[in-house]
Amino acid sequence: MIEWNNGIAVLTLLTPFPVGDVNIFLIKGERLTLIDVGPKTEAAWESFKSQLKELKLTPRDIEQVILTHHHPDHVGLLDFFPPSLEVYGHPLNERWLNRTDTFFEEHKEFFHRLFVEFAIPERFFPYIEAMKKTLKFSCNRSLTGTITEGDTPPGLDDWKVLNTPGHAQSHIALWRETDGVAIGGDLLLATISPNPLLEPPLPGETERPAPQLQYNASIKKLLNYPIQCMYAGHGPEIRNVAELVEKRLAKQHERAMLVKSWLEAAPLTVFEICQRLFPAVYERELTLTISETVAQLDYLRSLGEIDMMKDNKAYLYKA
Ligand SMILES: [Zn+2]
C-alpha cells in the first residue's frame, strides 16, 4: 500500500543487481518531483506505473526528476519517460548519463593503469571491459540543469542540496529543515555500507578522487543536521542517523587497522590485500572488492600510518 507521508511517497522497484530493490521517492512540492527513477527494465517500468496508480497518478503527472547519483539502478528508467521531462542533478552525473567515446576511452585507460599499479594479474583485465555491462540498465540523456551544495532545487522550496560524494562522485542528499527529513540516496543504508567506488579523475584533474575519505567526510557532515528521518535508496528509512554514522566510521576504521597489521608484517600489493580481505568473493566481484581494498589504503595513508612505494610498475604498501 503506497501512501503519502508529509508529502513524500516511497515507491520500491526491483533491480537486476545484487543489492535487490531500489527506493524512489515522490515529493509533492510546487512541482510533483520524483527523486531517482530505478533501473531500465520493463519490470521496473510496469511496477512503477502500478504503484503510481495506487496514488491515482500516471508517469505524465511527474513534472521533474532529481537524481541522488548516477548509478544505473537509480537513473536507468529515465529512458522510459518522454525526453522533454526535466532532470536535475549534480554536474558530475553528466559524464555517466551522456556517455561520450572520450569518456569511455579515459575510463578504460584509467582502470588499465590502476590494474597495473595494483598488481592485478592479467587474466583479470577483461573485467575492465565488463564494467560497461551494468550500463545497459542505465539511460542515455542529459541533465536539464545542475544542482549542488546549498541550492534549493527548482519546485522544492523547502529543500536544500547537500553534496555527499564518496559512493559516487555525483552523489547528493536532500534536506528539509522544516521537519528534519532527508533523502539520502545511497549515502547511509540501514544494513549495508555502500561501496566507495573508484572513478576516473574529475574533468580537468589528473589524480583520482579518494572515495572512502570523501565518504567519511560526507557522513560526518550529516552530524551537523538534526535529521529525524532519512530515506535511503535501499532498505528502510533511518531514524538513528548519528548512531549509524559512528558505527559505519568505527567499522571502517577497524577494517583498516586489520590491513595495517598485515602491512606491519610484510609489504603487500593492492591485489594481495584484496585477496586476504575477500578470499571468497574477490574473483567474482573484483571491481567492488578492489574499491573496498583501496579505500582502506587511502584511509591509512591519510592518517600517515602506511607508506606506498613503487616496485617496478606496481605499488607496494608497508606500515
Ligand atoms: Zn549507487
Side-chain angles (χ1 to χ4, degrees):
M1 172 73 186
I2 316 280
E3 52 188 25
W4 291 103
N5 220 318
N6 298 319
I8 299 172
V10 185
L11 314 187
T12 303
L13 304 177
L14 275 172
T15 79
F17 301 112
V19 70
D21 294 348
V22 65
N23 298 320
I24 62 175
F25 310 92
L26 275 169
I27 303 183
K28 247 186 225 170
E30 296 75 40
R31 310 178 77 183
L32 183 63
T33 303
L34 183 62
I35 312 295
D36 291 346
V37 293
K40 183 166 73 182
T41 66
E42 282 292 339
W45 182 243
E46 289 310 316
S47 165
F48 173 62
K49 285 191 296 186
S50 77
Q51 292 179 59
L52 280 183
K53 211 169 176 181
E54 288 188 41
L55 299 169
K56 304 197 166 38
L57 294 169
T58 74
R60 291 187 172 279
D61 295 314
I62 312 279
E63 295 177 271
Q64 61 178 14
V65 167
I66 293 178
L67 302 175
T68 62
H69 63 298
H70 69 264
H71 292 162
D73 49 338
H74 297 260
V75 308
L77 204 60
L78 278 176
D79 275 359
F80 282 71
F81 286 84
S84 59
L85 178 71
E86 295 185 19
V87 182
Y88 298 90
H90 190 277
L92 287 169
N93 281 290
E94 187 67 18
R95 63 179 182 170
W96 291 102
L97 304 188
N98 183 11
R99 296 175 293 279
T100 62
D101 290 345
T102 320
F103 180 58
F104 274 132
E105 209 40 52
E106 277 171 21
H107 186 273
K108 195 169 79 187
E109 277 170 25
F110 169 71
F111 278 99
H112 195 274
R113 195 174 69 237
L114 286 191
F115 273 42
V116 172
E117 288 174 353
F118 295 168
I120 296 173
E122 276 195 27
R123 68 191 159 98
F124 290 105
F125 280 40
Y127 270 90
I128 299 173
E129 272 302 300
M131 283 181 199
K132 278 189 195 167
K133 271 198 217 151
T134 61
L135 293 174
K136 83 170 193 226
F137 300 106
S138 189
C139 62
N140 238 304
R141 58 164 302 147
S142 266
L143 294 173
T144 312
T146 59
I147 48 176
T148 181
E149 181 74 21
D151 287 346
T152 293
L156 292 182
D157 285 355
D158 293 344
W159 295 80
K160 282 256 187 300
V161 175
L162 308 181
N163 283 357
T164 52
H167 171 59
Q169 294 305 310
S170 59
H171 205 290
I172 59 164
L174 294 169
W175 157 243
R176 183 165 69 184
E177 192 168 18
T178 48
D179 60 354
V181 169
I183 294 184
D186 288 357
L187 182 58
L188 263 190
L189 306 175
T191 55
I192 52 170
S193 180
N195 193 286
L197 282 163
L198 288 165
E199 287 186 43
L202 304 184
E205 307 214 356
T206 51
E207 295 281 308
R208 68 167 172 85
Q212 185 69 55
L213 306 185
Q214 294 175 311
Y215 178 77
N216 289 358
S218 291
I219 59 174
K220 277 184 197 160
K221 182 165 152 183
L222 295 177
L223 303 176
N224 300 325
Y225 297 85
I227 299 171
Q228 301 297 317
C229 172
M230 186 168 205
Y231 290 98
H234 308 277
E237 63 265 26
I238 295 156
R239 295 183 187 273
N240 56 342
V241 169
E243 195 185 314
L244 194 56
V245 166
E246 297 303 339
K247 190 171 146 189
R248 290 282 178 266
L249 292 170
K251 205 151 179 207
Q252 187 266 312
H253 181 79
E254 207 178 292
R255 180 174 268 180
M257 288 304 142
L258 172 67
V259 171
K260 187 191 155 192
S261 72
W262 297 337
L263 297 178
E264 278 164 347
L268 295 170
T269 65
V270 172
F271 184 65
E272 288 166 335
I273 301 164
C274 182
Q275 286 176 300
R276 286 201 197 184
L277 274 176
F278 306 101
V281 288
Y282 80 91
E283 299 228 14
R284 206 170 60 237
E285 292 289 356
L286 187 72
T287 41
L288 296 178
T289 54
I290 284 286
S291 285
E292 194 60 50
T293 304
V294 172
Q296 310 316 319
L297 298 169
D298 283 350
Y299 176 78
L300 289 168
R301 285 184 72 210
S302 79
L303 298 181
E305 299 276 8
I306 59 167
D307 287 324
M308 181 174 98
M309 22 185 207
K310 207 150 195 186
D311 172 39
N312 197 6
K313 281 180 184 154
Y315 286 113
L316 268 179
Y317 291 82
K318 75 172 180 74

